[in-house]
Amino acid sequence: MKFGAEMMKLCLPLVALALCIPLSAEAAAAIVNPAARHSVSLDGKWRTIVDPYENGYYDYRLQPSKDGYFRNAKPKDPSELIEYDFDSSPTLDVPGDWNSQRENLFFYEGTVWYKRSFDYAVRPGARLFVYFGAANYEAIVYLNGEKLGAHTGGFTPFAFEVTGKVKPKDNFVVVKVDNKRHRDAVPTVNTDWWNYGGLTRGVSLIEVPETYVQDYFVQLQKGSPGTVAGWVKLNGPRATQRVTVSIPEAGASVTVSTDANGYAALSFPAKLTLWSPENPKLYDVAIAAETDTVHESIGFRTIETRGADILLNGKPIFLRGVSVHEEAPFRAGRAFSVEDARTLLGWAKEMGCNFVRLAHYPHNENMLREADRMGLLVWSESPVYWTIDWENKDTFANASNQVAESVARDKNRASIILWSVANETPVSEPRTAFLVKLVEQIRAADPTRLLTAAMEHHSEGATATANPVVINDPLGAALDVLGCNEYIGWYDGMPEKADHTTWSSNYQKPLIMSEFGADALYGLHGASTAKFTEEYQEDVFRHQVRMLAHIPALRGTTPWVLMDFRSPRRSLPGIQDWFNRKGLVSVRGEKKKAFFVMQEFYRSKQTN
Ligand code: GCB
């Protein structure tokens, strides 16, 4: 697809739909690249009230109350009855999930109210936003007792404008965070990971000029290593301005004029050192409008497919990957920090990876920024997992909004080469229609990257000595790269079954084996036939790599999973203790035997 001016005209309404206009009317457009803005962190200790009956939201007739906890009320005299008090309530750390911070919240799913006070003098003529990296799952945000808006979806950022609402002294922001699971939500009620609730990523106040650079897309035009293409979008009363986008180190720049909507497409030639795992070169890119300038470190690379090949910067590449959950190393809980990201991605590099699959939802921004710096290619995934309510329009709108927010946040990350729309969704017409719509939405918003999904496989007529598997999921027709999860040797027979399994595909497309693996408790040793031992897991991996080596279209592997992670589905005492143990590394960073099988396999693949 050509990403020129014509293309821009065609896809502008879709881009606007996908990137600029949030579906939740109450949520302001998120601010991209928050780290580059003038901001004040609201991270730290927030006062919290646990509210399982939502007593602070509904009255006793279950009607929304005018005097909910968001008022942060105090008795004016001792005769006044107020049955809550933030300032004498316990605190929780933000960012952070509540489950791993307080023992009695370990299994808690419901509402927790968060409150934090602050002073802030907005500079004259500036605008102020309160920005949330993520809140799982539903958040209603109030400032000084008034509702600002609401947001749904646990893994993407959102912001509300508070210009004119913030006083120089004594403001309070209250957030009702609710992580109850719902059948029609995204994800739905059933997942194999912990439903960590809370303000799981950072919160900040972000100040911008009255007309500011709201968003921009600056990447190489698809298949054109010498052309930077994209767009810029201003927000504010001075919509029409001249905007210069430059890459000073490369001596390349372009000046464009934004239209009445603050929008301008851009395209300019540039001689750039291309970003790759071997040389993750990032350039300082300046987006300079007349009223605002933003800088960002951006890498430039191309990604395409040709038949069953994946071409990075025009050259075939094998994706030596691993799947990763957003689980914090050493402490367990939702990961969020730069250190968490460096540790997890560092282990992946040690295994020999040039690629990570960030499953099963958009990870925190630090993971993507570090992947950009460390030279790891990324598969970024939507939380459309297992049995979503495919025929429900609201469910689609919710998934579509979460995907739009994820693409909006990360579209300038060189590391991301694949957007994945779903994981292991059962084939049906409504499901395929739902996912194809998501694929089309992402292609319109980001024509530069490849689309994939982790699909299931089905064997066609297995016998004791032959197990022919055909990849024939109809979704494959809409994707660029096929992802396939299989558990031969764990849920599906014994490890040896891999020896007589053969793979074929209805599509002439690259295949990534996006999951395979087995549980093992680090330090549990025994026979290679005994489940949960390191030896069993190692044996599964040995048989797997032999099988994988014979799949003609295989262009990548992301075994399940880098590190053990918490899951309420995994209760086995003494072994699982609420952890999925398929990690190649324990939560303490101890490497299991299978880690070294993958390391050896990746050494053999290290030709690129
Ligand atoms: C899968 C899922 C993944 C699970 C894994 C398992 O197929 O995609 O989310 O955690 O299997 O361990 O069963």
Side-chain angles (χ1 to χ4, degrees), residues 124-160:
R127 291 167 69 181
L128 192 68
F129 291 81
V130 56
Y131 175 90
F132 296 83
N136 191 35
Y137 170 78
E138 277 169 3
I140 309 179
V141 183
Y142 305 84
L143 178 73
N144 299 334
E146 299 300 324
K147 182 174 169 182
L148 292 174
H151 181 263
T152 300
F155 303 99
T156 43
F158 55 97
F160 300 104

Side-chain angles (χ1 to χ4, degrees), residues 192-193 325 357 360 385-386 423-424 485 487 491 515 519 560 565 570 580 582:
D192 187 22
W193 72 80
H325 251 298
R357 171 185 176 211
H360 283 305
Y385 181 93
W386 288 355
N423 179 72
E424 283 184 4
N485 296 354
Y487 280 91
Y491 302 121
E515 284 181 31
D519 282 63
W560 193 253
F565 61 96
R570 311 293 173 175
N580 181 314
K582 293 192 188 68

Side-chain angles (χ1 to χ4, degrees), residues 49-160:
I49 300 175
V50 180
D51 189 11
Y53 279 36
E54 299 185 287
N55 193 44
Y57 189 76
Y58 296 111
D59 66 16
Y60 80 125
R61 297 293 184 224
L62 213 62
Q63 296 303 309
S65 162
K66 284 197 282 300
D67 292 312
Y69 293 176
F70 48 86
R71 293 263 182 245
N72 183 30
K74 307 276 172 197
K76 283 176 224 61
D77 64 69
S79 68
E80 194 178 344
L81 176 64
I82 294 178
E83 291 184 276
Y84 70 96
D85 178 34
F86 275 109
D87 294 326
S88 56
S89 294
T91 59
L92 284 170
D93 285 330
V94 174
D97 65 86
W98 62 59
N99 314 75
S100 66
Q101 291 191 56
R102 233 182 259 167
E103 214 179 320
N104 62 7
L105 295 181
F106 187 59
F107 285 108
Y108 183 70
E109 296 183 307
T111 284
V112 172
W113 294 83
Y114 285 75
K115 180 243 158 194
R116 151 118 203 200
S117 300
F118 65 92
D119 300 333
Y120 195 90
V122 185
R123 284 187 283 199
R127 291 167 69 181
L128 192 68
F129 291 81
V130 56
Y131 175 90
F132 296 83
N136 191 35
Y137 170 78
E138 277 169 3
I140 309 179
V141 183
Y142 305 84
L143 178 73
N144 299 334
E146 299 300 324
K147 182 174 169 182
L148 292 174
H151 181 263
T152 300
F155 303 99
T156 43
F158 55 97
F160 300 104

Side-chain angles (χ1 to χ4, degrees), residues 454-470:
M455 302 183 292
E456 292 178 334
H457 79 278
H458 300 279
S459 84
E460 308 262 307
T463 65
T465 51
N467 180 33
V469 178
V470 182

